[in-house]
Structure formats: C-alpha cells, structure tokens
Amino acid sequence: MEKWYLMPVVVLIGLTVRWTVSLNSYSGAGKPPMFGDYEAQRHWQEITFNLPVKQWYFNTSDNNLQYWGLDYPPLTAYHSLLCAYVAEFINPDWIALHTSRGYESQAHKLFMRATVFIADVLIYIPAVILYCCCLKETSTKRKITNVLCILLYPGLILIDYGHFQYNSVSLGFALWGVLGVSCDWDLLGSLAFCLAVNYKQMELYHSLPFFCFLLGKCFKKGLKGKGFVLLIKLACTVVASFLLCWLPFFAEREQTLQVLRRLFPVDRGLFEDKVANIWCSFNVFLKIKDILPRHSQVIISFCFTFLSLLPACIKLTLQPSPKGFRFTLVSCALSFFLFSFQVHEKSILLVSLPVCLVLNEIPFISTWFLLVSTFSMLPLLLKDELLMPSVVTVMAFFIACATSFSIFEKISEEELRLQSFSVSVRKYLPCFTFLPRIIQHLFLISVVAIVLLTLMTVTLDPPGELPDLFSVLVCFVSCLHFLFFLVYFNIVIMWDRRNGRNQKKIN
C-alpha cells in the first residue's frame, strides 16, 4: 500500500502532458475554406444545436454535407449537442448557424480543448487506472508504472489534443467494456462496448473479439442452461442500448438508411490519404483503386479481412479467456486496419488501445508497436505542425517504458511469449534458437529507419515529380511493421494453449 500515493502523481503527469500539447496549433487552424477537424467538431455543435434531429444527417440548405457533414453515430451527435448547450451559454457566436463557420478565438480554443480534457478525465483515464489496478500477479509499483506508460502513449495525445478529436471517448467506453467482460460483469461490459460503437463506428474493429469471447462464455456455461440465459440477457442488453441510441432516427425508414449511408460511405473508395495499410502500400505498385470496380474492392477487402482474423476468433470462441481476449483484440483490430475498406491513418489508435492492455505482458513488443503506430501518422502530424510535441511525447513515452519495464532485458523466448512456438519449431529444426536475436536486430533496424525517415521528411524537399515520396515511404515502412506484428500476435494466440504443458516439460 505504501506505493499507492504515487498514483495521483502519475495521473497528474499524464494530464499535464495532455494540456501542454493542447496549447499548440490544431488541425486546419487559419486554413479556409474547410479548416480541419477542429472546425468539424465545432460545426457539429452548430448543426445539432440549431437544426432538428431529422436534419442532422441530411443535405439541406442549412446543412451542407460537403462541409464537414456529420458522419459518426448518434452518440457523437448527442455529445456535440451537449457541448453546444455549454457553448451557447458562454458565447452564442461560437455555434451561430452559418455565421460561425471557421470561428477562431483564444476563448473558443480554450473551451474546445476543455471539452476533450473533461471527456478524457471522466471516461478514459478512470478506465485506464481501474484496468491497471485489476492486473493480477502484478506489484503495486508495476501497476502504477503501467498507468503512466498508457497515459503517456503519444498517438492518442497528439491526435486528440493536437490534431483535435474525441477518440478518448470511444476508446474509453471500449476499455470499460473490456474491464466488464473480463471481470464477468458481462452485461455492463456489453453496454459499455455498445456505447463505444454508437460513438464511433470504427469500434467495430473490436466487435468480433467481444462477440466471440461472450459467445465462448455461453458455450462454456452450456447452451441448455446458464449459458442460454446469459445469451438472452446479452442480446437484450445490446438491442436495448442500440434502440435507445437510435430511437430518434427510427421514426422513418429513410432517416435510418441515411444515417447508415453517412456512417459507411462506400463511395469514398478503398482508402483515403496516406494510410499505412496493405491497399495504400500496394497501390504504389498497382493502381487497384483505378483498375478494380468499387464492388470488387469491397469484396476483396472483406475476404482478406475475414480470413486474416478468422483463426484467432475461432480460438477465442472455443477457449475463452481474458488473456486470449486481449490478444485477439489486437489481432482483429490490426487485421481490420491492414485489410478493410475505407481506413484512415488515425484508425491505428484502435489497434493501439488493446496493445496498451498487453503492455504489462509483453513490454518489448508493445512498446515497439506503439512507437511505430505514432510514426505511421507522421504525415498528418507534420501537416498539423506537431513535430515538436511529437518528438517530446515519443521520447517521454519511450523513456517511461524503457525504465519501467526494462524492455531491453526482456527479449527472451519466454518474455516474448514465443517459447511454445519455438519448442514446436525445434522438433523439426533443432538449431532454431536465434528468434530473440532476430527480433532484437529487427527492432534496431526499425528504430534507425524511423529516425532516418523522420529526418528526411522534415529536412528534405521531395522531388518535383514525386511530391508524396516521403509520405508514401512512411506508410510503406509502417505497413511492413504492422504485417510483422500481425504475424507475431497470431503466433502468440495460436500457440498459447500449449504454453503451460511445454513450460512443465522445459522445467
């Protein structure tokens, strides 16, 4: 108990870093006509406050969908409306219909930053603290340092407080969901995850692990007894939560369909901007967006996504466990990011959250992944003039992880959770003892590549005929990393069942 007094200090450090980053510029500051995501969030407050619910998602004379039209689920709209009521109380000009477009002032910036900060304090940070406090077989000191490292993860801080979004809300709800189902509070966990999905549809990246884990629990209890009762309760919880969130949009069939069209805009294409997934990287060599018709792109991306996440989901359904659930969250989210349709560079945060949850178990790989995930958003961060905050937060995070977990001392097969896999391989290849050394060398090569590419992007001008050269290189290198991590996490998942038996033989 003597170490718990450090928890408020750790939380204060996390909050201080967040507020300090928020003092910098934001997406689209002073850049008309569209400005940026900061303006998008302000505009949604304007729309939800001044227009009736039935017009929120429709293109009208008062709601031009080409100008940051609302394209997130109802819970985001309700959150915007809540913020709008506060904004109207402070200064009605901030959300005045039409005339408030592109509004910029120090007072408004402080207000908008405060809305992100408060959402973080109320939803995300308490979930992180409780999750780390519930870690089993972990010392108090380790739990506190785990909180510090998760709160210092630079990707989320830079996007929410620099670029300007509310990802901590959906990720916070998802984390409450993970806590709930992991601690057998299945109905509360399901409710929390439904709130996450109804805040941002990209939380569907985590939906299959939740579904398979809960279904596996029902199978384990027996579908002719307690398992069936649990299944009915879960179904009722999910249906009821969605009905409550979507109730205002069920008045007319066209209203519901329009919201769905806004949430899943197939017409936008396979990917947007420079995102570190398979399709954007492959598009450098073969212009698949131009060659294949849209429906073929959808089918191909669905097939690749489904096949890549199928083994881990089957394993989780047949052998449900909190540990397997956490690793499957990583694997499935990464599969969605790499192969699914219409991926944004910021979607890597959906993979980073579950990686943060296994930071205590595999600190070396988790730290490496979280560094790469931040690097993969480099073009976006530079566009928003966030180079210095990026460098400082990345260094702070890396130092915190390196000192808290001694990551460079934990690269053995056992620490990497590859012992069972290596034992299986050595049955056919006895000399297979070099895997940890290979991973260590890959990490060093990775760090050198990241540093060099960052320096080149910042200091050099790309050739005139290749203006996106450095951005494409960042995406391609990041994509190679993510493919490696996908293979790694699937190996850990698929060989986990034999881990206990092999460990006994080795001992």
Side-chain angles (χ1 to χ4, degrees), residues 19 35 93 109 127 149 192 229 246 254 262 312 366 433 455 466:
W19 192 253
F35 300 94
D93 292 342
K109 179 182 176 181
C149 292
V229 174
W246 284 70
E254 184 57 30
R262 293 297 299 165
S366 298
T433 59
L455 290 174
L466 297 171

Side-chain angles (χ1 to χ4, degrees), residues 180-380:
V181 299
S182 298
C183 298
D184 291 326
W185 307 328
D186 296 325
L187 299 185
L188 290 175
S190 300
L191 174 61
F193 183 66
C194 287
L195 293 177
V197 173
N198 279 293
Y199 192 87
K200 284 200 173 184
Q201 65 270 36
M202 286 81 75
E203 275 298 332
L204 290 171
Y205 282 30
H206 300 144
S207 58
L208 275 176
F210 270 91
F211 175 78
C212 293
F213 184 44
L214 292 170
L215 184 62
K217 281 189 173 185
C218 294
F219 285 151
K220 204 170 183 179
K221 291 176 180 289
L223 283 182
K224 293 184 179 179
K226 293 182 179 180
F228 182 73
V229 174
L230 177 59
L231 186 63
I232 296 299
K233 288 181 178 179
L234 290 169
C236 291
T237 301
V238 172
V239 171
S241 58
F242 269 82
L243 279 174
L244 285 173
C245 288
W246 284 70
L247 196 58
F249 304 96
F250 283 149
E252 299 176 11
R253 179 172 177 270
E254 184 57 30
Q255 183 88 23
T256 308
L257 293 176
Q258 175 63 11
V259 177
L260 291 174
R261 281 192 288 266
R262 293 297 299 165
L263 300 189
F264 304 103
V266 178
D267 292 338
R268 288 187 185 176
L270 194 55
F271 58 87
E272 282 191 39
D273 297 324
K274 302 296 182 293
V275 55
N277 74 349
I278 285 292
W279 308 123
C280 185
S281 301
F282 192 66
N283 199 67
V284 175
F285 308 102
L286 184 65
K287 304 298 180 183
I288 49 179
K289 287 183 74 173
D290 301 327
I291 296 174
L292 296 176
R294 188 64 46 80
H295 69 276
S296 298
Q297 296 175 24
V298 173
I299 293 171
I300 290 172
S301 64
F302 171 80
C303 291
F304 272 86
T305 306
F306 180 74
L307 291 175
S308 64
L309 55 78
L310 188 60
C313 286
I314 292 175
K315 173 78 181 292
L316 181 62
T317 306
L318 298 177
Q319 299 173 16
S321 70
K323 178 185 174 184
F325 174 52
R326 291 193 296 272
F327 279 94
T328 305
L329 279 170
V330 178
S331 173
C332 287
L334 194 48
S335 292
F336 269 100
F337 180 81
L338 283 170
F339 300 111
S340 66
F341 193 87
Q342 239 313 294
V343 174
H344 294 261
E345 63 269 64
K346 299 180 289 288
S347 298
I348 195 61
L349 298 178
L350 293 156
V351 192
S352 300
L353 174 69
V355 173
C356 286
L357 303 187
V358 299
L359 183 60
N360 185 58
E361 298 172 67
I362 44 170
F364 178 78
I365 293 292
S366 298
T367 302
W368 185 7
F369 178 92
L370 294 171
L371 290 172
V372 174
S373 69
T374 305
F375 168 72
S376 71
M377 297 184 285
L378 181 64
L380 176 66

Side-chain angles (χ1 to χ4, degrees), residues 92 134 142 195 296 345 428 472:
C134 291
R142 184 75 173 247
L195 293 177
S296 298
E345 63 269 64
Y428 309 97
V472 170

Side-chain angles (χ1 to χ4, degrees), residues 138-150:
T138 305
S139 66
T140 301
K141 180 182 176 183
R142 184 75 173 247
K143 291 176 181 179
I144 293 172
T145 54
N146 212 54
V147 171
L148 176 65
C149 292
I150 294 176

